[in-house]
Amino acid sequence: MTEPLASWNDGPAKDAVLGFVERVTADGVPPEERVAVFDNDGTLWCEKPLPIQADFILRRLHEMAEADPALRKQQPWQAAYERDYAWLGQVMVEHYAGNDTNVRTLLGGVIAAHAGISVDEFEEQADAFLRTAQHPTLGRGYLQCAYAPMVELLRYLDANGFSSYIASGGGRDFMRPISEELYGIPRDRVIGSSTALDYREGTIMRKPEADVLDDGPEKPVRIWSRVGRRPLLAVGNSNGDIEMLDFAQHANRPFLRLLVLHDDAEREFAYTAGAETSLERARSENWTVISVADDWSRVFD
Amino acid sequence: MTEPLASWNDGPAKDAVLGFVERVTADGVPPEERVAVFDNDGTLWCEKPLPIQADFILRRLHEMAEADPALRKQQPWQAAYERDYAWLGQVMVEHYAGNDTNVRTLLGGVIAAHAGISVDEFEEQADAFLRTAQHPTLGRGYLQCAYAPMVELLRYLDANGFSSYIASGGGRDFMRPISEELYGIPRDRVIGSSTALDYREGTIMRKPEADVLDDGPEKPVRIWSRVGRRPLLAVGNSNGDIEMLDFAQHANRPFLRLLVLHDDAEREFAYTAGAETSLERARSENWTVISVADDWSRVFD
């Protein structure tokens, strides 16, 4: 047996995880109730300087703007065409601060970027991108941007009879092709935002409209819809995860809430924008904060 | 080892099932691809004289009409109050014939019947109803209305590495409390129609609006959204299952489509209303028809 959580430094975060799993085992919680939910961007893999899916979409918007000059004066195609990452980063900051005006503008582009193709074609494109594209600053491919300690945590939970789910604000269908390989999470346990779909002559097609934006209070709703249970463990890193962490609260079962704090500019990134309220909640409600700098002996494989 | 499919008579339907599972095994289809989807009402359990969930809702509408006389002149409360099952049966026939005017009227009542309560309260009510209420004509409780040959088929598939899902037009949250006990299908593998939900202070609440009506072309969309795969086996009994059966078609894998024909007035019910088109499709596309009268040596346990 290799040591579980080998990339976690001794300290309160590692203790909290080990203590929680011990209590679940000691209490004999039935396996079907051992449900863990993880945010993806900033929790399981890197989300800076931009979420990985944003890069995927930007490349497509850039292509579209190259083909159609009229799009170059219209957001979000303009930002994509001019590689104006500042505009795009700002959209996410505004979103976490509660202002979704530009999120809607961005979503219009997100939806248009991959509309009118089948889910199979979309999956091929996402898969090809994820296997070839490089992270802009970390000097590694995107599939090497998963946090090694989190992958260890997922394995440790799996070894202890848990079923782990991704409950992401990112696109469900973007992550499904790589979730098993990257995290050991089977594709059917990926919950995330989704595009409206249409069944046409044997094929599922992507419609040019959003279906679910799986963020904030929508996360517990989608977790419950998918699983039919309240999770024992919830792991996030931002304001969009607050309700999901709240939801993992039980009267008669062990439970744990973990919040990743990005405080390691050297090995990863240091930021709290979009996480301020969740960090306050962590303090006031005794959620366990995972400091990347202090709690992880290494960040990536 | 007990014989699989012991309640199935020798014949083309049993042969089709055994041959299909043999091919899946011989081809070494990976377990994660062994996905089977089942309609529920009229496929896994009895749906006459009315779907079981309709009885649940009618009792609640009756209560509401007893408490509020104004509701007694308004459908569907009027039908519930007067026990006018003819009106309600007709709604389903119209629905399968493509006319949803009265379906919408009925849905208004369905939604109002259990709105504003938590998913936990709803589950308690559904569970209590299913464990106590009697079928109106068969002289058995509703939990004894599952088709024994179908439960055998589910066990047989499970023993051969399949994951079976319920893909029902009925309510997901109505079936979840009993799906494991009745069919061996865990609650998270129940796909069905759903009410819009809302997260409020730690609790998931039922909103007074529909979310998904999981019928017709919506079935493959919801199967794909939930599973992320195209099923190898699809089993239905009505026009609302046509697209789901269509969807279970593969270029490079064994696959099977089964359609239950209700032709046994003595042991169950004999009807084809709402199934006419699906029966035509079965003929033209070589789907396997299961005749209740000919293919099943017993219907219920």
Side-chain angles (χ1 to χ4, degrees), chain B residues 42-63:
Chain B
T43 298
L44 291 178
W45 71 5
C46 185
E47 66 175 344
K48 293 290 175 185
L50 275 182
I52 295 172
Q53 190 174 3
D55 188 8
F56 173 64
I57 293 161
L58 286 177
R59 291 181 194 214
R60 172 71 190 131
L61 296 179
H62 194 276
E63 272 177 27

Side-chain angles (χ1 to χ4, degrees), chain B residues 200-212:
Chain B
R200 250 185 281 153
E201 296 174 14
T203 303
I204 313 254
M205 303 292 291
R206 292 170 65 90
K207 288 166 78 173
E209 56 187 90
D211 182 16
V212 171

Side-chain angles (χ1 to χ4, degrees), chain A residues 176 187 202 224-226 228 230, chain B residues 176 187 202 224-225 228 230:
Chain A
R176 274 184 165 172
R187 56 193 292 122
W224 199 90
S225 297
R226 166 63 182 79
R230 190 183 283 262
Chain B
R176 274 182 164 172
R187 56 192 292 124
W224 200 90
S225 297
R230 192 183 283 263

